[in-house]
Amino acid sequence: MKLEDYIKNRISIINIYSKKNNIKLQKENIYKGKFCENIEYNKLINSYIEIIKDNNTAEENELLERNLKTLKVTRLPILQRCFKRKYTSKYLVYKNKIILNEKVMDSLGHELLHVASTNATCKIIYSGFMKFDSIGNEIGRGLNEGFTELLTNKYFNKKDISSYQLFETNIASYLSEIIGFNKMKEFYFSASLESLIIELKKYDNLENIIKFIKNIDNIKDTKQILDCYLTLYKWRALDLKNKYNKNIITKDEYEKLVLDDSRIYPAKLYIMTCSTNPITDEMKEEVRKRL
C-alpha cells in the first residue's frame, strides 16, 4: 500500500479530536543521561534538551522523553570530518542515534527536534510531518524539514536557514500563519501528519492536500513552486474569509489583508525559490493573473 493511501485510510478512521496518534506514554521527567563519552558534549546536549522542554507543553514532550532513554550521540568518523566539511549532523531514526559533525554544531538542535518528534514503534515511522517505511516509501519530508528548521531558528536563535531548506522553511512558515503556529507545533511533536491534513481539510479536499505535500517533497521546476505558492494563497484567502464571516476581523480588515496578500505574495514566491531557481518576469505575471 502506498504511504499516501495509508494516510487516507488513517484519516478515514481518525477522530478529529485525536492529537496523539494513539500514543500512550506515562508522564515522567525529562531523562538526563549520558548520550556520548564527551562530557562537554553531554552538557551541551542536555542544555538543548532543556530548551526544547521549556518551549513545549508536557504533552509535546512525550516523544522526547521516550526517545531520550535510548538515544546515543556519536561523532562523525574522522575521515568524513576531514573530507566532508559540509556534512551536517544526522539523526538515524531506526537506531535512535545522532551522528554529530563538530564543524556544524548548530545542527545539533535541528537533530534533537527530530528526536523529540519521532515515533518509531511500528513498521511505518512517524517523524514530525513525515511518514516512511523500511523499503524507502516516504511522504512529508520537505514540510518536516522546513518546520524543523523553523523551530530550530525559534528555539535556539539560529540566525541563518540552510540554503537547501530555504524553500521548505518558507512554506512551513506561511502554512503556520494560516492554521496557527501552536497547532502546527502540536501536530509536529505528536508526529501526526494526519492531524495536520484534517486541519487543512477546512480549506481544500484531500487529493489537493496530498498533492501539495508531495510537491514540497519533490520540487523539480518552477511550476511546482507556483502550485505550492498558489495553494497557500488560496488557503490564506479562505482563512481570512472565515475570520470575516465569524466577525473576528472587520470587512475593512479583510479587504486590506487580501489586497496586501495579492501585493506581497509574488515577492514571497521569489524568496521561496532561492537564487538557484530564479523566477522570470513571465512567471511573476502569471502569478498575478491567477491571484
Side-chain angles (χ1 to χ4, degrees):
M1 178 186 293
K2 293 182 179 178
L3 276 181
E4 58 194 271
D5 293 329
Y6 175 82
I7 288 173
K8 290 176 185 177
N9 287 338
R10 279 184 58 84
I11 289 174
S12 68
I13 61 174
I14 193 172
N15 186 319
I16 195 168
Y17 299 105
S18 173
K19 301 171 182 178
K20 288 286 167 286
N21 262 340
N22 296 322
I23 300 167
K24 296 180 180 179
L25 302 176
Q26 294 181 347
K27 304 293 183 183
E28 51 191 307
N29 294 327
I30 288 292
Y31 175 72
K32 292 185 178 180
K34 182 179 179 182
F35 304 106
C36 62
E37 298 301 320
N38 188 297
I39 295 175
E40 293 304 314
Y41 283 1
N42 273 310
K43 290 180 180 178
L44 180 62
I45 292 166
N46 277 293
S47 68
Y48 273 47
I49 290 168
E50 289 302 317
I51 291 173
I52 296 173
K53 176 184 175 182
D54 290 344
N55 280 277
N56 288 357
T57 65
E59 289 77 13
E60 290 168 347
N61 282 324
E62 288 184 352
L63 287 175
L64 178 63
E65 292 179 6
R66 171 193 283 178
N67 293 331
L68 287 179
K69 292 179 179 179
T70 58
L71 176 68
K72 296 297 180 184
V73 180
T74 60
R75 298 160 66 188
L76 191 68
I78 188 167
L79 287 177
Q80 292 189 18
R81 273 180 269 160
C82 294
F83 297 105
K84 294 189 177 182
R85 296 180 181 178
K86 295 183 179 180
Y87 184 97
T88 61
S89 301
K90 186 174 184 179
Y91 177 51
L92 304 179
V93 173
Y94 287 101
K95 296 182 178 181
N96 195 24
K97 178 191 290 187
I98 293 176
I99 299 177
L100 183 62
N101 185 355
E102 297 156 294
K103 295 181 180 180
V104 197
M105 288 297 288
D106 62 353
S107 64
L108 174 59
H110 181 105
E111 302 311 324
L112 283 171
L113 286 167
H114 284 316
V115 174
S117 60
T118 294
N119 179 20
T121 58
C122 52
K123 291 182 179 179
I124 293 182
I125 304 299
Y126 302 80
S127 185
F129 296 128
M130 182 180 175
K131 302 285 178 283
F132 60 98
D133 59 28
S134 59
I135 59 174
N137 297 312
E138 65 177 46
I139 185 171
R141 177 181 293 274
L143 183 58
N144 188 52
E145 288 298 328
F147 194 70
T148 302
E149 190 68 5
L150 189 67
L151 287 175
T152 303
N153 298 343
K154 183 177 178 62
Y155 284 15
F156 307 111
N157 295 316
K158 187 168 178 277
K159 301 302 181 183
D160 60 323
I161 299 172
S162 302
S163 59
Y164 74 95
Q165 291 176 337
L166 181 59
F167 169 77
E168 292 86 351
T169 306
N170 275 287
I171 286 285
S173 176
Y174 302 148
L175 188 57
S176 67
E177 289 178 12
I178 295 170
I179 72 169
F181 177 78
N182 286 337
K183 277 188 179 179
M184 283 278 286
K185 187 162 73 84
E186 178 185 316
F187 299 153
Y188 173 86
F189 284 111
S190 60
S192 185
L193 177 62
E194 291 87 358
S195 293
L196 174 65
I197 291 173
I198 288 171
E199 183 69 22
L200 290 175
K201 286 179 73 176
K202 296 177 181 178
Y203 312 107
D204 216 329
N205 62 54
L206 183 58
E207 296 298 326
N208 286 340
I209 294 168
I210 294 292
K211 178 183 176 183
F212 170 77
I213 294 169
K214 292 179 70 175
N215 271 342
I216 304 170
D217 289 344
N218 301 288
I219 291 296
K220 296 177 181 177
D221 54 42
T222 52
K223 182 182 183 302
Q224 286 176 302
I225 294 174
L226 178 61
D227 286 343
C228 288
Y229 157 73
L230 290 173
T231 297
L232 283 172
Y233 179 82
K234 181 178 71 173
W235 293 349
R236 163 75 169 169
L238 286 170
D239 181 57
L240 291 174
K241 187 174 182 180
N242 289 338
K243 288 177 179 176
Y244 166 61
N245 290 337
K246 294 178 180 179
N247 296 318
I248 297 174
I249 58 176
T250 66
K251 182 179 180 181
D252 287 343
E253 288 173 327
Y254 167 67
E255 291 177 347
K256 181 181 184 302
L257 287 168
V258 171
L259 181 61
D260 287 346
D261 279 354
S262 69
R263 291 169 175 167
I264 65 176
Y265 263 69
K268 286 184 176 182
L269 172 63
Y270 181 79
I271 292 171
M272 285 193 290
T273 63
C274 317
S275 59
T276 58
N277 195 10
I279 290 294
T280 64
D281 289 338
E282 290 79 7
M283 182 64 75
K284 285 189 282 188
E285 181 60 30
E286 177 65 19
V287 170
R288 293 189 183 96
K289 289 178 182 178
R290 292 170 64 177
L291 288 176

